[in-house]
Amino acid sequence: MPSQPSFLSDFSRDAAITPRGVTLSAPATRRLSKQCCAIYERLQKGPATNSELSQIALSYTRRLSDLREHDIAVECYQRDDTTGLNWYRLT
């Protein structure tokens, strides 16, 4: 006896739900996480070390990448190989 397809077979979890006739741009569909916002706010006050940023988010490098994906310019402008400290700032 052939099996019938599930009623969920056409369901796509990755499909974005938007109102009919509306197309959203990629930046509009993605929002910054709370950790990204916290790191951004910290960097607005001035340069910060990787030690400071890791207190906000353990995966602070991923959060910095998220900021860069949103066209926020963040640079690592100083590295100290003896202590392992890196300094980040907004440009």
Side-chain angles (χ1 to χ4, degrees):
M1 176 176 218
S3 64
Q4 294 182 348
S6 167
F7 72 96
L8 295 175
S9 62
D10 292 334
F11 179 74
S12 174
R13 292 183 182 191
D14 295 330
I17 299 173
T18 59
R20 289 185 183 160
V22 175
T23 304
L24 297 176
S25 64
T29 58
R30 296 181 318 210
R31 303 272 186 240
L32 289 174
S33 69
K34 289 181 182 180
Q35 290 179 333
C36 285
C37 291
I39 287 177
Y40 181 63
E41 288 172 4
R42 171 57 192 89
L43 290 172
Q44 284 181 319
K45 295 176 184 176
T49 64
N50 55 338
S51 178
E52 293 175 76
L53 298 180
S54 68
Q55 291 176 2
I56 297 170
L58 287 177
S59 57
Y60 71 93
T61 55
R62 178 62 211 156
R63 303 293 74 85
L64 292 175
S65 295
D66 291 344
L67 291 173
R68 291 177 181 126
E69 288 174 5
H70 280 81
D71 297 325
I72 298 171
V74 179
E75 73 170 345
C76 177
Y77 72 96
Q78 185 176 358
R79 295 174 191 228
D80 187 343
D81 293 332
T82 58
T83 62
L85 281 180
N86 298 325
W87 288 85
Y88 294 91
R89 66 180 172 196
L90 297 174
T91 58

